[in-house]
Amino acid sequence: MTVSGTATQANATCRQLVADGARIVPIGFDLPTRAGLDSDAPQARGLVGRCGVPVDSIDDMRVLFNGLPLDRVRPTLAADAAAAPLLVLCRLVAEEHGTPPRRLAGAVRNDAFRSFLTGGLGGLQLRPLLRLAMDVLAYGVAELPRWQCLSVCGHQLAGPGADPALEVAFAVACGMEYLHAAAAGPGLDASVVVPRLTLCLAKGATGPETRAKLRAVRRVWTRTANERFAANVDVPRLYVQEPRGGTATPPDRRRPRTAGLETEALALLERLERLGGALAVVERGLGGTQLGRRFENRPPPRPHLGSAVLRARQTEQLAKLRAWRVEAAVDEALVRLGKAAQSDDNVLHPMKEALAARATVGEVSAVLRTAWGPHPQATLH
């Protein structure tokens, strides 16, 4: 179960989960938050509270984590393009609770490819999203040693119709892009990146199909990573999830042939590489394939029925926050964030200063969109 609702409602649910013995608390954020928009933004109308918790500032995160033993539980944040500010807000609140960064454990869904494929969530092009994902990774390696900071959401392809071989090939191809980007940008070795990386695949129609898919992705990953990095690269953490819209293929009574799936996935992976790799293929809209068109032509989300009341409440809280904060401190921190974005500096350090000064998620995200250029067709999904 993913925790959602208002910050107060989500906090009550988290407290109950912890009281019942849970040590992992999955938290979903609403569509505007995951897109880096404040609840009072025009684009957020009708969507505040849809699919998760609205978090506009450190005030909301304080309510969300109030009374939770953050030194003993592991929050998992479904953050998407807003992984950076939401991770920083989590750290800030944990420090207020007296939990030092070295004891704070958890995971953040931080997949640039997923964010881009789901309609430019966050309003950024793919390469800036990849840069931001690498900044989150490098920040986690340096500051939060117990956090999973990078993810590949291969299951995202199953809903639009990818078969298991394509899903495995695409997940591994995206993982390879992350390893190359981490080496080229922050200068991180694959042995450092892989323990922070999670690969998520869609649950198969049957148990044997799921197990076959997991065996195939392990073998394809190991073969590909060791060929490209000339070292013994471990397999990332794997997990399965129901694909959006249900399983992609009908149940098959025959036991799946793992070797056949592995061979087909390797052939698809080689094809992706001939096309320039996952980065180039995704930038071209999955090569104009039917799968790419199904991503591009998805209908917009339906408005959330209770959004108007929740949006009014969040708007009132934002007005109070902006009236009481020290605006000069916020402005100075946002300027430093913009300068970091235009350089090679990690943006999470000045972002932490801005959010601590009570800048909003939307404000820090707007600085990045200004520095890196907006996605021309960004939508909320």
Side-chain angles (χ1 to χ4, degrees), residues 5-94:
T6 67
T8 301
Q9 292 168 339
N11 174 258
T13 303
C14 290
R15 284 172 177 252
Q16 187 59 55
L17 288 173
V18 173
D20 291 342
R23 288 295 173 263
I24 297 177
V25 180
I27 299 172
F29 298 95
D30 71 353
L31 290 177
T33 300
R34 287 188 277 128
L37 296 172
D38 290 332
S39 297
D40 60 355
Q43 305 96 308
R45 190 180 302 275
L47 299 176
V48 177
R50 180 169 175 78
C51 302
V53 186
V55 171
D56 293 319
S57 72
I58 193 171
D59 292 349
D60 292 320
M61 196 66 87
R62 285 168 176 154
V63 173
L64 178 59
F65 287 134
N66 180 45
L68 294 180
L70 293 176
D71 58 337
R72 300 199 305 275
V73 301
R74 293 173 56 92
T76 62
L77 313 178
D80 292 326
L86 292 173
L87 176 62
V88 169
L89 285 174
C90 183
R91 175 188 175 169
L92 286 169
V93 173

Side-chain angles (χ1 to χ4, degrees), residues 18-380:
V18 173
D20 291 342
R23 288 295 173 263
I24 297 177
V25 180
I27 299 172
F29 298 95
D30 71 353
L31 290 177
T33 300
R34 287 188 277 128
L37 296 172
D38 290 332
S39 297
D40 60 355
Q43 305 96 308
R45 190 180 302 275
L47 299 176
V48 177
R50 180 169 175 78
C51 302
V53 186
V55 171
D56 293 319
S57 72
I58 193 171
D59 292 349
D60 292 320
M61 196 66 87
R62 285 168 176 154
V63 173
L64 178 59
F65 287 134
N66 180 45
L68 294 180
L70 293 176
D71 58 337
R72 300 199 305 275
V73 301
R74 293 173 56 92
T76 62
L77 313 178
D80 292 326
L86 292 173
L87 176 62
V88 169
L89 285 174
C90 183
R91 175 188 175 169
L92 286 169
V93 173
E95 289 176 339
E96 291 178 351
H97 288 195
T99 302
R102 67 180 181 278
R103 295 190 60 185
L104 183 64
V108 60
R109 190 170 73 195
N110 175 33
D111 186 357
F113 294 97
R114 181 190 189 279
S115 296
F116 187 79
L117 285 171
T118 52
L121 192 67
L124 292 173
Q125 300 276 9
L126 179 54
R127 290 179 188 270
L129 281 168
L130 185 58
R131 148 80 189 270
L132 186 56
M134 292 301 100
D135 279 3
V136 171
L137 172 64
Y139 184 84
V141 169
E143 305 279 340
L144 299 167
R146 300 178 65 193
W147 270 77
Q148 297 290 121
C149 298
L150 196 59
S151 50
V152 173
C153 299
H155 68 286
Q156 191 71 25
L157 294 185
D163 62 21
L166 177 57
E167 186 186 343
V168 168
F170 186 76
V172 172
C174 290
M176 294 299 109
E177 292 284 6
Y178 283 138
L179 294 186
H180 285 297
L188 297 175
D189 186 80
S191 62
V192 175
V193 177
V194 170
R196 304 303 189 99
L197 175 63
T198 303
L199 298 186
C200 180
L201 300 175
K203 183 180 179 181
T206 64
E209 182 181 317
T210 299
R211 291 190 291 273
K213 188 185 293 187
L214 291 173
R215 285 194 295 269
V217 77
R218 289 189 184 97
R219 293 174 180 176
V220 173
W221 173 276
T222 299
R223 176 173 172 174
T224 306
N226 290 339
E227 285 178 354
R228 298 185 186 180
F229 292 91
N232 291 322
V233 179
D234 291 335
V235 177
R237 181 176 298 184
L238 304 175
Y239 73 100
V240 295
Q241 181 172 320
E242 289 286 355
R244 191 172 181 176
T247 54
T249 55
D252 188 341
R253 293 186 178 183
R254 297 173 300 170
R255 183 177 180 85
R257 293 185 298 111
T258 306
L261 178 57
E262 177 185 346
T263 300
E264 188 177 352
L266 282 168
L268 287 169
L269 184 60
E270 290 176 3
R271 182 183 174 191
L272 282 171
E273 289 306 308
R274 287 196 299 271
L275 292 171
L279 181 60
V281 170
V282 171
E283 283 185 318
R284 294 197 298 267
L286 292 178
T289 63
Q290 181 180 3
L291 186 62
R293 289 191 292 273
R294 292 185 68 174
F295 269 111
E296 295 161 5
N297 297 329
R298 287 181 307 158
R302 296 178 182 176
H304 178 50
L305 293 178
S307 180
V309 173
L310 185 51
R311 184 172 188 264
R313 184 184 304 141
Q314 292 293 117
T315 298
E316 181 181 357
Q317 292 175 354
L318 282 166
K320 291 178 179 178
L321 175 142
R322 293 180 178 123
W324 284 97
R325 69 189 183 183
V326 180
E327 200 64 36
V330 174
D331 292 342
E332 291 173 4
L334 291 176
V335 168
R336 288 192 290 272
L337 174 61
K339 290 180 178 178
Q342 293 169 347
S343 70
D344 293 331
D345 294 343
N346 192 311
V347 298
L348 270 73
H349 298 291
M351 185 181 292
K352 181 172 181 281
E353 296 177 13
L355 292 169
R358 303 180 79 191
T360 67
V361 171
E363 288 168 343
V364 299
S365 299
V367 170
L368 300 182
R369 284 192 287 268
T370 299
W372 293 336
H375 188 290
Q377 298 174 325
T379 58
L380 295 183

